Amino acid sequence: MAGRFEARPGGGAAVALDEVEISILRSLAVQLLELIGPGDEPAEGEDPLAALFAEGPSEPPADPALRRLFPDAYADDTDELRQAASDFRRFTENDLRARKRQDALAVVRSLDELSSSIASGDGGKGLGEGLGAGERKAGDADGKRNENENGNGNGDEGEGGGILELAPEGSRAWLGTLNDLRLTIASRLDITEDEQSERLYRLPDSDPTKPMVMAYLWLGGLQETLVETLMA
């Protein structure tokens, strides 16, 4: 999974993805949506404006992954700080959940659009029209390198590949979701510090967490290169 984001002329980012990568990213984003939970729809006859200003929970989530996504605003060393954290959560968590949900939905929809483009036979080319020749070659090279590393070995571009292009707003949604996915997986892997990620590169193939570790590292590479495009 050697894909990396490249900056687009005029803003935004683009990345070459094959069908397997599209499927993995979509599955992870859907699982994130399930973890975050559905939005609270106003009950029948309820004023939508009142629902908009409804208070959220005052206590942190029980799930460790959700606690990573929705941490306390203040350390709970004193009763005063615990109360401040509770008040802050009550008035902000619903909005934060909604934003994370919107970002993940944007990721799913963009991947579905890419899959539809591939299925229509244009291989995602319509999504890649803004790429310069050098950027397109870089995406092609990543795809070929990925095939060789996976033993597919003839150096030809893999079937089902396409180029996902993102406008600046879409890049920010993707960045938020990539970060949320990494936080969630880090929680499941019990990674609490960046230094601990070094040990992940030394895991044997027989380790049952290896697939999740590989996803964590791959998402990190995507996140890093996406940040670079936003800073370009």
Side-chain angles (χ1 to χ4, degrees):
M1 298 180 182
R4 55 179 288 118
F5 280 96
E6 301 284 347
R8 291 178 57 197
V15 62
L17 298 171
D18 61 32
E19 283 187 330
V20 173
E21 292 168 332
I22 293 169
S23 177
I24 292 173
L25 285 167
R26 190 186 191 284
S27 175
L28 289 173
V30 169
Q31 291 178 61
L32 179 63
L33 282 167
E34 293 173 350
L35 178 66
I36 294 172
D40 293 328
E41 297 295 332
E44 185 176 353
E46 183 180 353
D47 182 0
L49 187 61
L52 181 64
F53 290 100
E55 294 183 0
S58 59
E59 297 296 326
D63 189 311
L66 285 174
R67 284 202 299 272
R68 290 271 187 105
L69 297 179
F70 307 103
D72 279 330
Y74 310 100
D76 58 356
D77 295 336
T78 65
D79 289 342
E80 184 179 358
L81 285 176
R82 280 192 289 270
Q83 184 60 50
S86 176
D87 291 341
F88 186 85
R89 180 181 296 278
R90 187 165 65 252
F91 293 111
T92 62
E93 184 169 313
N94 282 350
D95 287 342
L96 184 57
R97 281 181 182 264
R99 185 166 71 248
K100 290 181 181 296
R101 191 180 302 114
Q102 290 169 359
D103 287 347
L105 280 171
V107 168
V108 171
R109 287 166 181 160
S110 63
L111 291 170
D112 286 346
E113 289 175 4
L114 179 57
S115 294
S116 297
S117 178
I118 293 170
S120 69
D122 63 14
K125 293 178 182 178
L127 296 172
E129 291 174 355
L131 281 175
E135 291 168 305
R136 191 180 299 278
K137 288 178 181 177
D140 291 344
D142 279 339
K144 292 176 182 177
R145 189 185 310 117
N146 187 41
E147 289 179 357
N148 291 334
E149 289 173 351
N150 288 325
N152 294 335
N154 58 10
D156 295 331
E157 187 175 355
E159 293 183 2
I163 298 174
L164 174 70
E165 284 199 354
L166 302 173
E169 182 177 351
S171 294
R172 288 188 287 271
W174 266 77
L175 186 60
T177 295
L178 289 172
N179 184 63
D180 288 344
L181 287 172
R182 293 192 79 238
L183 287 173
T184 301
I185 296 175
S187 175
R188 301 306 189 213
L189 293 173
D190 199 26
I191 300 173
T192 57
E193 298 179 4
D194 290 339
E195 289 77 7
Q196 289 181 289
S197 63
E198 293 298 322
R199 67 179 172 83
L200 302 180
Y201 290 96
R202 300 190 295 271
L203 283 179
D205 292 340
S206 59
D207 192 296
T209 66
K210 188 66 176 284
M212 191 180 296
V213 166
M214 295 302 293
Y216 176 79
L217 296 175
W218 174 51
L219 292 170
L222 289 175
Q223 182 181 15
E224 181 179 356
T225 57
L226 184 53
V227 169
E228 290 173 357
T229 69
L230 291 173
M231 297 177 64

